[in-house]
Amino acid sequence: MKNVNVLALGALALCLGLTSCKQENKAQETPEQAVEQKVAENEAFTGQDGHTTQNSVDWDGTYQGVIPCADCPGIEVTVVLNPDGTFTRQDVYLDKKDGVLDEKGTFTWDKTGTIVTLKGNDQISQFKVYEGSMSMLDTDGNIIEGALAENYILKKK
């Protein structure tokens, strides 16, 4: 009987503890706030022992892959990152006549030393750089997830 009372008292204490916990209602973030948060997270990154992709990976070179396309079999993307901070990018829309877009410009590293932002004449795009590959980021600077996520990875040639 004593054990039953102890169990009942424990269960009651657990229930009271759970119901007394306050849940903070997080306000809906605007897209601008989400981007600001992402930038703040990137700025806070220091890397292990100061190592970043920028200073510890052989990142310069040619990256290539085929990304999904809404109205064609895919877009063959080739990006060349040069040590002087310039890049070239060629997008070839497969099975499209005159479906070639060439872009040249400069790129910058974010404060984490892991993400490059390509700034050309017509577009701005971001990639997270790894050893031997880089992953295209969405317009908010996030890694693309889901069933097609691996199709947004360009391999180093």
Side-chain angles (χ1 to χ4, degrees), residues 4-23:
V4 172
N5 288 339
V6 171
L7 286 174
L9 185 59
L12 178 62
L14 181 62
C15 288
L16 286 175
L18 291 175
T19 58
S20 66
C21 291
K22 292 182 181 178
Q23 289 185 344

Side-chain angles (χ1 to χ4, degrees), residues 109-124:
W109 289 91
D110 73 342
K111 293 190 184 219
T112 70
T114 60
I115 296 173
V116 292
T117 300
L118 309 181
K119 296 177 185 174
N121 297 330
D122 297 328
Q123 62 183 355
I124 295 176

Side-chain angles (χ1 to χ4, degrees), residues 72-145:
C72 69
I75 305 167
E76 184 177 18
V77 178
T78 304
V79 176
V80 179
L81 299 179
N82 298 307
D84 66 355
T86 62
F87 78 92
T88 59
R89 175 177 174 168
Q90 183 178 64
D91 293 355
V92 178
Y93 290 75
L94 303 176
D95 294 344
K96 292 273 189 178
K97 184 178 180 182
D98 300 324
V100 178
L101 174 65
D102 289 312
E103 189 85 34
K104 291 182 180 183
T106 59
F107 69 90
T108 55
W109 289 91
D110 73 342
K111 293 190 184 219
T112 70
T114 60
I115 296 173
V116 292
T117 300
L118 309 181
K119 296 177 185 174
N121 297 330
D122 297 328
Q123 62 183 355
I124 295 176
S125 54
Q126 292 184 304
F127 294 86
K128 183 167 178 103
V129 181
Y130 303 95
E131 181 71 49
S133 67
M134 64 182 187
S135 181
M136 184 178 285
L137 303 180
D138 67 15
T139 56
D140 294 325
N142 299 308
I143 292 177
I144 297 170
E145 297 177 345

Side-chain angles (χ1 to χ4, degrees), residues 20-41:
S20 66
C21 291
K22 292 182 181 178
Q23 289 185 344
E24 293 183 27
N25 291 330
K26 188 175 179 182
Q28 290 284 14
E29 285 185 337
T30 65
E32 292 81 14
Q33 290 170 325
V35 169
E36 288 174 10
Q37 176 65 28
K38 188 74 171 170
V39 168
E41 289 170 4

